[in-house]
Amino acid sequence: AAVLQDFGVPPVLINSVADHVPVLFEPGRTVAVSAAVEEVKKTSSKWIKTQGNEFAAFAHGAFAVSESNVATLRDCIAGQQVHHRKKSFQEEFRSLLERQQAC
């Protein structure tokens, strides 16, 4: 949250769970989304390297969401523990990647 805030991109919702941290943020007026994602990736990668070898498989992913889907995404992020009882994070992430490739 602090990285995004300092970069001029307000975080809307962040919810950490066992194997991932979903983040929803508003695009900045003067900051490209790609620059904000790059800053989060750079900062989190630097930090995760200090946490030990068990985090060696740490990865990032980013997806743009239309304004009409923000409320649904917010509910999904807020309810991650319940949401992933039905579909694992890995299954959902693969599905998101496949949908993005189809576009």
Side-chain angles (χ1 to χ4, degrees):
V3 170
L4 290 169
Q5 195 70 42
D6 291 347
F7 208 64
V9 182
V12 174
L13 183 60
I14 301 172
N15 184 8
S16 63
V17 291
D19 59 355
H20 65 289
V21 180
V23 177
L24 175 62
F25 65 88
E26 293 181 16
R29 293 177 190 236
T30 60
V31 177
V33 172
S34 60
V37 170
E38 181 180 349
E39 186 66 18
V40 170
K41 287 172 65 174
K42 179 176 67 174
T43 306
S44 60
S45 291
K46 189 175 183 178
W47 176 80
I48 203 77
K49 288 177 183 175
T50 68
Q51 302 305 302
N53 290 336
E54 64 268 27
F55 298 105
F58 179 75
H60 298 86
F63 301 93
V65 179
S66 66
E67 184 66 36
S68 63
N69 289 320
V70 168
T72 300
L73 181 59
R74 187 181 296 198
D75 291 345
C76 182
I77 289 173
Q80 286 289 287
Q81 283 87 358
V82 173
H83 177 74
H84 287 302
R85 288 182 194 152
K86 299 173 189 166
K87 185 186 243 185
S88 75
F89 167 68
Q90 291 79 9
E91 291 170 324
E92 182 172 46
F93 192 72
R94 285 185 190 102
S95 173
L96 288 168
L97 290 172
E98 289 169 359
R99 278 190 271 164
Q100 290 297 315
Q101 287 179 339
C103 295

